[in-house]
CSV table of all heavy atoms in Angstrom, one decimal:
chain,number,residue,atom,x,y,z
H,1302,PHE,N,0.4,-2.7,11.4
H,1302,PHE,CA,-0.1,-3.7,10.4
H,1302,PHE,C,-0.3,-3.0,9.1
H,1302,PHE,O,-0.9,-1.9,9.0
H,1302,PHE,CB,-1.5,-4.3,10.8
H,1302,PHE,CG,-2.0,-5.4,9.9
H,1302,PHE,CD1,-1.8,-6.7,10.2
H,1302,PHE,CD2,-2.6,-5.0,8.7
H,1302,PHE,CE1,-2.3,-7.7,9.3
H,1302,PHE,CE2,-3.0,-6.0,7.8
H,1302,PHE,CZ,-2.9,-7.3,8.1
H,1303,SER,N,0.1,-3.6,7.9
H,1303,SER,CA,-0.4,-3.1,6.7
H,1303,SER,C,-0.4,-4.2,5.6
H,1303,SER,O,0.1,-5.3,5.8
H,1303,SER,CB,0.5,-1.9,6.2
H,1303,SER,OG,-0.2,-1.1,5.2
H,1304,GLY,N,-1.1,-3.9,4.5
H,1304,GLY,CA,-1.2,-4.9,3.5
H,1304,GLY,C,-1.1,-4.4,2.1
H,1304,GLY,O,-1.2,-3.2,1.9
H,1305,VAL,N,-0.7,-5.2,1.2
H,1305,VAL,CA,-0.5,-4.9,-0.2
H,1305,VAL,C,-1.2,-6.0,-1.1
H,1305,VAL,O,-1.0,-7.2,-0.8
H,1305,VAL,CB,0.9,-4.7,-0.6
H,1305,VAL,CG1,1.1,-4.5,-2.1
H,1305,VAL,CG2,1.6,-3.6,0.2
H,1306,GLN,N,-2.0,-5.6,-2.0
H,1306,GLN,CA,-2.6,-6.6,-2.9
H,1306,GLN,C,-1.6,-7.2,-3.9
H,1306,GLN,O,-0.9,-6.5,-4.5
H,1306,GLN,CB,-3.7,-5.9,-3.7
H,1306,GLN,CG,-4.9,-5.5,-2.9
H,1306,GLN,CD,-6.1,-5.2,-3.7
H,1306,GLN,OE1,-6.5,-6.0,-4.6
H,1306,GLN,NE2,-6.7,-4.1,-3.5
H,1307,PRO,N,-1.7,-8.5,-4.0
H,1307,PRO,CA,-0.8,-9.2,-5.0
H,1307,PRO,C,-1.5,-9.2,-6.4
H,1307,PRO,O,-1.8,-10.2,-6.9
H,1307,PRO,CB,-0.7,-10.6,-4.5
H,1307,PRO,CG,-2.0,-10.8,-3.8
H,1307,PRO,CD,-2.5,-9.5,-3.3
H,1308,THR,N,-1.6,-8.0,-6.9
H,1308,THR,CA,-2.3,-7.9,-8.3
H,1308,THR,C,-1.3,-7.5,-9.4
H,1308,THR,O,-1.7,-7.1,-10.4
H,1308,THR,CB,-3.4,-6.9,-8.2
H,1308,THR,OG1,-3.1,-5.8,-7.3
H,1308,THR,CG2,-4.7,-7.5,-7.7
H,1311,LEU,N,3.5,-4.0,-9.0
H,1311,LEU,CA,3.8,-3.1,-7.9
H,1311,LEU,C,4.7,-1.9,-8.4
H,1311,LEU,O,5.6,-2.2,-9.1
H,1311,LEU,CB,4.5,-3.8,-6.7
H,1311,LEU,CG,3.6,-4.8,-5.9
H,1311,LEU,CD1,4.3,-5.3,-4.8
H,1311,LEU,CD2,2.4,-4.0,-5.4
H,1312,HIS,N,4.3,-0.7,-7.9
H,1312,HIS,CA,5.0,0.4,-8.6
H,1312,HIS,C,5.5,1.4,-7.6
H,1312,HIS,O,5.4,1.3,-6.4
H,1312,HIS,CB,4.0,1.1,-9.5
H,1312,HIS,CG,2.6,1.4,-8.9
H,1312,HIS,ND1,2.5,2.4,-7.9
H,1312,HIS,CD2,1.4,0.9,-9.0
H,1312,HIS,CE1,1.3,2.5,-7.5
H,1312,HIS,NE2,0.6,1.5,-8.1
H,1313,LEU,N,6.1,2.5,-8.2
H,1313,LEU,CA,6.7,3.6,-7.4
H,1313,LEU,C,5.7,4.2,-6.4
H,1313,LEU,O,6.1,4.5,-5.3
H,1313,LEU,CB,7.2,4.7,-8.4
H,1313,LEU,CG,8.0,5.8,-7.8
H,1313,LEU,CD1,9.4,5.3,-7.4
H,1313,LEU,CD2,8.1,6.9,-8.8
H,1314,GLY,N,4.4,4.3,-6.7
H,1314,GLY,CA,3.4,4.8,-5.8
H,1314,GLY,C,3.3,3.9,-4.5
H,1314,GLY,O,3.3,4.4,-3.4
H,1315,ASN,N,3.3,2.6,-4.8
H,1315,ASN,CA,3.2,1.6,-3.6
H,1315,ASN,C,4.5,1.8,-2.8
H,1315,ASN,O,4.4,1.7,-1.5
H,1315,ASN,CB,3.2,0.2,-4.1
H,1315,ASN,CG,1.9,-0.1,-4.9
H,1315,ASN,OD1,2.0,-0.6,-6.1
H,1315,ASN,ND2,0.7,0.2,-4.4
H,1316,TYR,N,5.6,2.0,-3.4
H,1316,TYR,CA,6.9,2.1,-2.7
H,1316,TYR,C,6.9,3.4,-1.9
H,1316,TYR,O,7.1,3.4,-0.7
H,1316,TYR,CB,8.1,2.0,-3.7
H,1316,TYR,CG,9.4,2.2,-2.9
H,1316,TYR,CD1,9.8,1.2,-2.0
H,1316,TYR,CD2,10.2,3.3,-3.2
H,1316,TYR,CE1,11.0,1.4,-1.3
H,1316,TYR,CE2,11.4,3.4,-2.5
H,1316,TYR,CZ,11.8,2.5,-1.6
H,1316,TYR,OH,13.0,2.6,-0.9
H,1317,LEU,N,6.8,4.5,-2.6
H,1317,LEU,CA,6.9,5.8,-1.9
H,1317,LEU,C,5.8,6.1,-0.9
H,1317,LEU,O,6.0,6.7,0.1
H,1317,LEU,CB,7.1,7.0,-2.9
H,1317,LEU,CG,8.3,6.9,-3.8
H,1317,LEU,CD1,8.3,8.1,-4.8
H,1317,LEU,CD2,9.6,6.9,-3.0
H,1318,GLY,N,4.6,5.7,-1.3
H,1318,GLY,CA,3.4,5.9,-0.5
H,1318,GLY,C,3.3,5.0,0.7
H,1318,GLY,O,2.8,5.4,1.8
H,1319,ALA,N,3.8,3.8,0.6
H,1319,ALA,CA,3.6,2.8,1.7
H,1319,ALA,C,4.9,2.0,2.1
H,1319,ALA,O,5.3,2.1,3.2
H,1319,ALA,CB,2.5,1.9,1.3
H,1320,ILE,N,5.4,1.3,1.1
H,1320,ILE,CA,6.4,0.3,1.5
H,1320,ILE,C,7.7,0.9,2.2
H,1320,ILE,O,8.3,0.4,3.1
H,1320,ILE,CB,6.8,-0.6,0.3
H,1320,ILE,CG1,5.5,-1.3,-0.2
H,1320,ILE,CG2,7.8,-1.7,0.7
H,1320,ILE,CD1,5.7,-2.1,-1.4
H,1323,PHE,N,7.0,1.3,5.6
H,1323,PHE,CA,7.0,0.0,6.3
H,1323,PHE,C,8.4,-0.3,6.8
H,1323,PHE,O,8.7,-0.7,7.9
H,1323,PHE,CB,6.6,-1.2,5.4
H,1323,PHE,CG,5.2,-1.2,4.8
H,1323,PHE,CD1,4.9,-2.2,3.9
H,1323,PHE,CD2,4.3,-0.2,5.1
H,1323,PHE,CE1,3.6,-2.3,3.3
H,1323,PHE,CE2,3.1,-0.3,4.5
H,1323,PHE,CZ,2.7,-1.3,3.6
H,1337,CYS,N,1.2,-7.9,5.3
H,1337,CYS,CA,0.3,-9.0,4.8
H,1337,CYS,C,0.1,-8.9,3.3
H,1337,CYS,O,0.0,-7.7,2.8
H,1337,CYS,CB,-1.0,-8.9,5.5
H,1337,CYS,SG,-2.2,-10.1,5.1
H,1339,VAL,N,-2.4,-9.4,0.7
H,1339,VAL,CA,-3.8,-9.5,0.8
H,1339,VAL,C,-4.5,-10.1,-0.4
H,1339,VAL,O,-5.1,-9.5,-1.2
H,1339,VAL,CB,-4.5,-8.2,1.3
H,1339,VAL,CG1,-4.1,-7.8,2.7
H,1339,VAL,CG2,-4.2,-7.0,0.3
H,1342,HIS,N,-8.3,-9.8,-0.8
H,1342,HIS,CA,-8.7,-8.5,-1.4
H,1342,HIS,C,-8.5,-8.6,-2.9
H,1342,HIS,O,-9.3,-8.0,-3.7
H,1342,HIS,CB,-7.8,-7.4,-0.8
H,1342,HIS,CG,-8.3,-6.9,0.5
H,1342,HIS,ND1,-7.8,-7.3,1.7
H,1342,HIS,CD2,-9.3,-6.0,0.7
H,1342,HIS,CE1,-8.5,-6.7,2.6
H,1342,HIS,NE2,-9.4,-5.9,2.1
H,1379,GLN,N,-2.7,-13.5,3.5
H,1379,GLN,CA,-4.0,-13.3,4.1
H,1379,GLN,C,-4.8,-14.6,4.1
H,1379,GLN,O,-5.4,-15.0,5.2
H,1379,GLN,CB,-4.7,-12.2,3.5
H,1379,GLN,CG,-6.0,-11.7,4.1
H,1379,GLN,CD,-6.6,-10.6,3.2
H,1379,GLN,OE1,-6.5,-10.7,2.0
H,1379,GLN,NE2,-7.3,-9.7,3.8
H,1406,GLN,N,-13.5,4.8,-3.1
H,1406,GLN,CA,-12.8,3.9,-3.9
H,1406,GLN,C,-13.7,2.9,-4.6
H,1406,GLN,O,-13.5,2.5,-5.8
H,1406,GLN,CB,-11.7,3.2,-3.1
H,1406,GLN,CG,-10.7,2.5,-4.0
H,1406,GLN,CD,-9.5,1.9,-3.3
H,1406,GLN,OE1,-9.6,0.8,-2.8
H,1406,GLN,NE2,-8.4,2.6,-3.3
H,1410,LYS,N,-13.8,2.3,-8.5
H,1410,LYS,CA,-13.4,1.0,-9.1
H,1410,LYS,C,-14.6,0.3,-9.8
H,1410,LYS,O,-14.5,-0.4,-10.8
H,1410,LYS,CB,-12.9,0.0,-8.0
H,1410,LYS,CG,-11.5,0.4,-7.6
H,1410,LYS,CD,-10.8,-0.8,-6.9
H,1410,LYS,CE,-9.4,-0.5,-6.6
H,1410,LYS,NZ,-8.7,-1.5,-5.7
H,1425,TYR,N,-15.1,-4.8,0.7
H,1425,TYR,CA,-13.7,-5.0,0.9
H,1425,TYR,C,-13.1,-4.2,2.1
H,1425,TYR,O,-12.3,-4.7,2.8
H,1425,TYR,CB,-13.0,-4.9,-0.4
H,1425,TYR,CG,-11.8,-4.0,-0.6
H,1425,TYR,CD1,-10.8,-4.3,-1.6
H,1425,TYR,CD2,-11.6,-2.8,0.0
H,1425,TYR,CE1,-9.7,-3.5,-1.8
H,1425,TYR,CE2,-10.5,-2.0,-0.2
H,1425,TYR,CZ,-9.6,-2.3,-1.1
H,1425,TYR,OH,-8.5,-1.6,-1.4
H,1428,LEU,N,-13.3,-6.3,5.3
H,1428,LEU,CA,-12.2,-7.3,5.4
H,1428,LEU,C,-10.9,-6.6,5.8
H,1428,LEU,O,-10.2,-7.1,6.6
H,1428,LEU,CB,-12.0,-8.0,4.0
H,1428,LEU,CG,-10.9,-8.9,3.9
H,1428,LEU,CD1,-11.0,-10.1,4.8
H,1428,LEU,CD2,-10.8,-9.5,2.4
H,1429,MET,N,-10.7,-5.4,5.3
H,1429,MET,CA,-9.5,-4.6,5.7
H,1429,MET,C,-9.6,-4.3,7.2
H,1429,MET,O,-8.5,-4.4,7.9
H,1429,MET,CB,-9.5,-3.3,4.8
H,1429,MET,CG,-8.3,-2.5,5.0
H,1429,MET,SD,-8.1,-1.3,3.7
H,1429,MET,CE,-7.1,-0.1,4.5
H,1430,ALA,N,-10.8,-4.0,7.7
H,1430,ALA,CA,-10.9,-3.7,9.1
H,1430,ALA,C,-10.6,-5.0,9.9
H,1430,ALA,O,-9.9,-4.9,10.9
H,1430,ALA,CB,-12.3,-3.2,9.4
H,1432,ASP,N,-8.5,-7.3,9.1
H,1432,ASP,CA,-7.1,-7.5,9.0
H,1432,ASP,C,-6.4,-6.7,10.2
H,1432,ASP,O,-5.6,-7.2,10.9
H,1432,ASP,CB,-6.5,-6.9,7.7
H,1432,ASP,CG,-7.0,-7.6,6.5
H,1432,ASP,OD1,-7.5,-8.7,6.6
H,1432,ASP,OD2,-6.9,-7.0,5.4
H,1433,ILE,N,-6.8,-5.5,10.2
H,1433,ILE,CA,-6.2,-4.6,11.2
H,1433,ILE,C,-6.5,-4.9,12.6
H,1433,ILE,O,-5.6,-5.0,13.5
H,1433,ILE,CB,-6.6,-3.1,10.8
H,1433,ILE,CG1,-6.1,-2.7,9.4
H,1433,ILE,CG2,-6.1,-2.1,11.9
H,1433,ILE,CD1,-6.7,-1.4,8.9
H,1441,VAL,N,-1.3,2.2,11.3
H,1441,VAL,CA,-1.4,1.5,10.0
H,1441,VAL,C,-0.8,2.5,8.9
H,1441,VAL,O,-1.4,3.5,8.6
H,1441,VAL,CB,-2.9,1.3,9.6
H,1441,VAL,CG1,-3.0,0.5,8.3
H,1441,VAL,CG2,-3.6,0.5,10.7
H,1442,PRO,N,0.4,2.1,8.4
H,1442,PRO,CA,1.0,2.9,7.4
H,1442,PRO,C,0.4,2.7,6.0
H,1442,PRO,O,0.4,1.5,5.6
H,1442,PRO,CB,2.5,2.5,7.4
H,1442,PRO,CG,2.5,1.1,8.0
H,1442,PRO,CD,1.3,1.0,8.9
H,1443,VAL,N,-0.1,3.7,5.4
H,1443,VAL,CA,-0.8,3.5,4.1
H,1443,VAL,C,-0.6,4.8,3.3
H,1443,VAL,O,-0.2,5.8,3.8
H,1443,VAL,CB,-2.3,3.3,4.2
H,1443,VAL,CG1,-2.6,1.8,4.5
H,1443,VAL,CG2,-2.9,4.2,5.1
H,1444,GLY,N,-0.9,4.7,2.0
H,1444,GLY,CA,-0.9,5.9,1.1
H,1444,GLY,C,-2.2,6.6,1.3
H,1444,GLY,O,-3.2,6.1,2.0
H,1445,ASP,N,-2.3,7.8,0.8
H,1445,ASP,CA,-3.4,8.7,1.0
H,1445,ASP,C,-4.8,8.0,0.6
H,1445,ASP,O,-5.8,8.3,1.2
H,1445,ASP,CB,-3.2,9.9,0.2
H,1445,ASP,CG,-4.3,10.9,0.4
H,1445,ASP,OD1,-4.4,11.4,1.5
H,1445,ASP,OD2,-5.0,11.2,-0.6
H,1446,ASP,N,-4.7,7.2,-0.4
H,1446,ASP,CA,-6.0,6.6,-1.0
H,1446,ASP,C,-6.7,5.6,0.0
H,1446,ASP,O,-7.8,5.3,-0.2
H,1446,ASP,CB,-5.8,5.9,-2.3
H,1446,ASP,CG,-4.8,4.7,-2.2
H,1446,ASP,OD1,-4.1,4.6,-1.2
H,1446,ASP,OD2,-4.8,3.9,-3.1
H,1447,GLN,N,-6.0,5.2,1.1
H,1447,GLN,CA,-6.6,4.3,2.0
H,1447,GLN,C,-7.2,5.0,3.3
H,1447,GLN,O,-7.7,4.3,4.2
H,1447,GLN,CB,-5.6,3.2,2.4
H,1447,GLN,CG,-5.1,2.3,1.3
H,1447,GLN,CD,-6.3,1.5,0.7
H,1447,GLN,OE1,-7.2,1.1,1.4
H,1447,GLN,NE2,-6.2,1.3,-0.6
H,1448,LYS,N,-7.1,6.3,3.3
H,1448,LYS,CA,-7.5,7.1,4.5
H,1448,LYS,C,-9.0,6.8,4.9
H,1448,LYS,O,-9.3,6.6,6.0
H,1448,LYS,CB,-7.3,8.6,4.1
H,1448,LYS,CG,-7.4,9.5,5.3
H,1448,LYS,CD,-7.0,10.9,4.9
H,1448,LYS,CE,-7.3,11.8,6.0
H,1448,LYS,NZ,-7.4,13.2,5.6
H,1450,HIS,N,-10.8,4.3,4.2
H,1450,HIS,CA,-11.0,2.9,4.7
H,1450,HIS,C,-10.6,2.8,6.1
H,1450,HIS,O,-11.2,2.0,6.9
H,1450,HIS,CB,-10.2,1.9,3.8
H,1450,HIS,CG,-10.8,1.8,2.4
H,1450,HIS,ND1,-10.0,1.3,1.4
H,1450,HIS,CD2,-11.9,2.2,1.9
H,1450,HIS,CE1,-10.7,1.4,0.2
H,1450,HIS,NE2,-11.9,1.9,0.5
H,1451,LEU,N,-9.6,3.5,6.5
H,1451,LEU,CA,-9.1,3.5,7.9
H,1451,LEU,C,-10.1,4.2,8.8
H,1451,LEU,O,-10.3,3.7,10.0
H,1451,LEU,CB,-7.8,4.1,8.0
H,1451,LEU,CG,-6.7,3.2,7.7
H,1451,LEU,CD1,-5.3,3.8,7.7
H,1451,LEU,CD2,-6.6,2.1,8.7
H,1482,PHE,N,3.9,13.7,-0.3
H,1482,PHE,CA,4.2,12.6,-1.2
H,1482,PHE,C,3.5,11.3,-0.9
H,1482,PHE,O,4.0,10.2,-1.1
H,1482,PHE,CB,5.7,12.3,-1.3
H,1482,PHE,CG,6.6,13.5,-1.2
H,1482,PHE,CD1,7.6,13.5,-0.2
H,1482,PHE,CD2,6.4,14.6,-2.0
H,1482,PHE,CE1,8.4,14.6,0.0
H,1482,PHE,CE2,7.2,15.7,-1.8
H,1482,PHE,CZ,8.2,15.7,-0.8
H,1483,SER,N,2.3,11.4,-0.3
H,1483,SER,CA,1.5,10.2,0.0
H,1483,SER,C,0.6,9.8,-1.1
H,1483,SER,O,-0.2,8.8,-1.0
H,1483,SER,CB,0.7,10.4,1.3
H,1483,SER,OG,-0.2,11.5,1.1
H,1484,ARG,N,0.6,10.5,-2.2
H,1484,ARG,CA,-0.2,10.2,-3.4
H,1484,ARG,C,0.6,10.5,-4.6
H,1484,ARG,O,0.8,11.6,-5.0
H,1484,ARG,CB,-1.5,11.1,-3.3
H,1484,ARG,CG,-2.6,10.7,-4.2
H,1484,ARG,CD,-3.8,11.6,-4.0
H,1484,ARG,NE,-4.9,11.2,-4.8
H,1484,ARG,CZ,-5.7,10.2,-4.5
H,1484,ARG,NH1,-5.6,9.6,-3.3
H,1484,ARG,NH2,-6.7,9.9,-5.3
H,1485,ILE,N,1.2,9.4,-5.2
H,1485,ILE,CA,2.0,9.6,-6.3
H,1485,ILE,C,1.1,9.5,-7.6
H,1485,ILE,O,0.3,8.6,-7.7
H,1485,ILE,CB,3.1,8.5,-6.4
H,1485,ILE,CG1,4.0,8.5,-5.1
H,1485,ILE,CG2,4.0,8.6,-7.6
H,1485,ILE,CD1,4.8,9.8,-4.9
H,1486,MET,N,1.3,10.4,-8.5
H,1486,MET,CA,0.4,10.4,-9.6
H,1486,MET,C,1.0,9.8,-10.9
H,1486,MET,O,2.2,9.5,-11.0
H,1486,MET,CB,0.0,11.9,-9.9
H,1486,MET,CG,-0.4,12.7,-8.7
H,1486,MET,SD,-1.7,11.9,-7.8
H,1486,MET,CE,-3.2,12.5,-8.7
H,1487,SER,N,0.1,9.5,-11.9
H,1487,SER,CA,0.5,8.9,-13.1
H,1487,SER,C,1.6,9.8,-13.9
H,1487,SER,O,1.5,11.0,-13.8
H,1487,SER,CB,-0.7,8.7,-14.0
H,1487,SER,OG,-0.3,8.7,-15.4
H,1493,LYS,N,-4.2,12.0,-12.2
H,1493,LYS,CA,-4.7,10.7,-11.9
H,1493,LYS,C,-3.6,9.9,-11.1
H,1493,LYS,O,-2.4,10.1,-11.3
H,1493,LYS,CB,-4.8,9.9,-13.3
H,1493,LYS,CG,-6.1,9.9,-13.9
H,1493,LYS,CD,-6.0,8.8,-14.9
H,1493,LYS,CE,-7.1,8.7,-15.8
H,1493,LYS,NZ,-6.7,7.9,-17.0
H,1494,LYS,N,-4.1,9.1,-10.1
H,1494,LYS,CA,-3.2,8.4,-9.3
H,1494,LYS,C,-2.4,7.3,-10.1
H,1494,LYS,O,-2.9,6.7,-11.0
H,1494,LYS,CB,-4.1,7.6,-8.3
H,1494,LYS,CG,-3.4,7.1,-7.1
H,1494,LYS,CD,-4.4,6.5,-6.1
H,1494,LYS,CE,-5.0,5.2,-6.7
H,1494,LYS,NZ,-5.9,4.4,-5.8
H,1495,MET,N,-1.1,7.2,-9.7
H,1495,MET,CA,-0.4,6.1,-10.3
H,1495,MET,C,-1.0,4.8,-9.9
H,1495,MET,O,-1.2,4.6,-8.7
H,1495,MET,CB,1.1,6.1,-9.9
H,1495,MET,CG,2.0,5.1,-10.6
H,1495,MET,SD,3.7,5.2,-10.1
H,1495,MET,CE,4.3,6.7,-11.0
H,1496,SER,N,-1.3,3.9,-10.8
H,1496,SER,CA,-2.1,2.7,-10.5
H,1496,SER,C,-1.6,1.4,-11.2
H,1496,SER,O,-1.1,1.5,-12.4
H,1496,SER,CB,-3.5,3.0,-10.7
H,1496,SER,OG,-4.2,2.0,-11.4
H,1497,LYS,N,-1.8,0.3,-10.6
H,1497,LYS,CA,-1.4,-1.0,-11.2
H,1497,LYS,C,-2.3,-1.3,-12.4
H,1497,LYS,O,-1.9,-2.0,-13.3
H,1497,LYS,CB,-1.6,-2.1,-10.2
H,1497,LYS,CG,-0.9,-2.0,-8.9
H,1497,LYS,CD,-1.4,-3.1,-7.9
H,1497,LYS,CE,-0.8,-2.9,-6.5
H,1497,LYS,NZ,-1.5,-3.6,-5.5
R,2187,LIG,P1,-3.0,-1.5,-2.5
R,2187,LIG,O1,-2.5,-2.9,-2.8
R,2187,LIG,O2,-3.9,-0.9,-3.5
R,2187,LIG,O3,-1.8,-0.5,-2.3
R,2187,LIG,C1,-0.8,-0.8,-1.3
R,2187,LIG,C2,-0.3,0.4,-0.7
R,2187,LIG,O4,0.2,1.4,-1.6
R,2187,LIG,C3,-0.4,2.6,-1.5
R,2187,LIG,N1,-0.6,3.2,-2.8
R,2187,LIG,C4,-0.1,4.5,-3.1
R,2187,LIG,N2,0.5,5.4,-2.4
R,2187,LIG,C5,0.8,6.6,-3.0
R,2187,LIG,N3,0.6,6.8,-4.3
R,2187,LIG,C6,-0.1,5.9,-5.1
R,2187,LIG,N4,-0.3,6.2,-6.4
R,2187,LIG,C7,-0.4,4.7,-4.5
R,2187,LIG,N5,-1.1,3.6,-5.0
R,2187,LIG,C8,-1.1,2.7,-3.9
R,2187,LIG,C9,-1.8,2.3,-0.9
R,2187,LIG,O5,-2.3,3.4,-0.2
R,2187,LIG,C10,-1.4,1.2,0.1
R,2187,LIG,O6,-1.0,1.7,1.3
R,2187,LIG,N6,-6.8,-2.1,0.8
R,2187,LIG,C11,-5.3,-2.0,0.6
R,2187,LIG,C12,-4.6,-3.2,1.2
R,2187,LIG,C13,-5.0,-3.6,2.5
R,2187,LIG,C14,-4.6,-3.0,3.7
R,2187,LIG,C15,-5.1,-3.8,4.8
R,2187,LIG,C16,-3.8,-1.9,4.0
R,2187,LIG,C17,-5.8,-4.7,2.9
R,2187,LIG,N7,-5.9,-4.8,4.2
R,2187,LIG,C18,-5.0,-3.4,6.1
R,2187,LIG,C19,-3.6,-1.6,5.4
R,2187,LIG,C20,-4.2,-2.3,6.4
R,2187,LIG,C21,-5.0,-1.9,-0.9
R,2187,LIG,O7,-5.7,-2.3,-1.7
R,2187,LIG,O8,-3.7,-1.4,-1.1
Side-chain angles (χ1 to χ4, degrees):
F1302 185 100
S1303 200
V1305 175
Q1306 292 196 47
T1308 35
L1311 285 186
H1312 53 69
L1313 188 70
N1315 299 125
Y1316 178 65
L1317 295 179
I1320 302 173
F1323 299 177
C1337 184
V1339 292
H1342 278 95
Q1379 190 184 30
Q1406 194 173 84
K1410 285 199 175 169
Y1425 130 149
L1428 174 61
M1429 183 164 158
D1432 299 340
I1433 296 167
V1441 186
V1443 281
D1445 181 66
D1446 63 341
Q1447 296 298 325
K1448 191 170 172 202
H1450 294 160
L1451 276 173
F1482 328 126
S1483 59
R1484 195 177 183 84
I1485 303 297
M1486 310 308 275
S1487 156
K1493 266 196 187 159
K1494 197 177 70 175
M1495 185 177 285
S1496 132
K1497 300 170 192 166

